[in-house]
C-alpha cells in the first residue's frame, strides 16, 4: 500500500486531490501511477507533497 501526502492550502483545500477526484477511474489510476513512478525514481520514496 502507498501513502501520498498532498499539499493543503491555508483554507484546507487540496488542489491535487480535487483534480484527481474530477477524473474518471481509469485516468485517475494513470495519473497516480505516473506520480508514484516518478516519485520513486527521483526520491526512492512513495511520499509526495504536491
Amino acid at each position: 500500500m502507498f501513502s501520498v501526502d498532498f499539499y493543503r492550502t491555508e483554507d484546507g483545500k487540496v488542489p491535487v486531490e480535487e483534480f484527481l477526484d474530477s477524473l474518471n477511474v481509469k485516468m485517475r489510476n494513470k495519473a497516480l501511477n505516473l506520480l508514484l513512478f516518478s516519485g520513486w525514481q527521483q526520491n526512492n520514496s512513495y511520499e509526495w507533497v504536491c
Side-chain angles (χ1 to χ4, degrees):
M1 179 179 267
F2 301 104
S3 173
V4 179
D5 297 323
F6 294 123
Y7 169 77
R8 183 177 302 271
T9 63
E10 290 181 8
D11 60 355
K13 293 183 179 181
V14 185
V16 174
E17 188 175 51
E18 292 172 8
F19 168 72
L20 291 172
D21 286 345
S22 73
L23 300 174
N24 65 45
V25 174
K26 185 176 180 179
M27 291 306 294
R28 183 182 314 133
N29 288 338
K30 284 183 178 185
L32 287 171
N33 283 331
L34 179 63
L35 288 173
L36 292 172
F37 179 71
S38 297
W40 181 81
Q41 282 189 328
Q42 292 173 5
N43 304 321
N44 289 332
S45 171
Y46 287 102
E47 294 182 1
W48 273 84
V49 177
C50 296

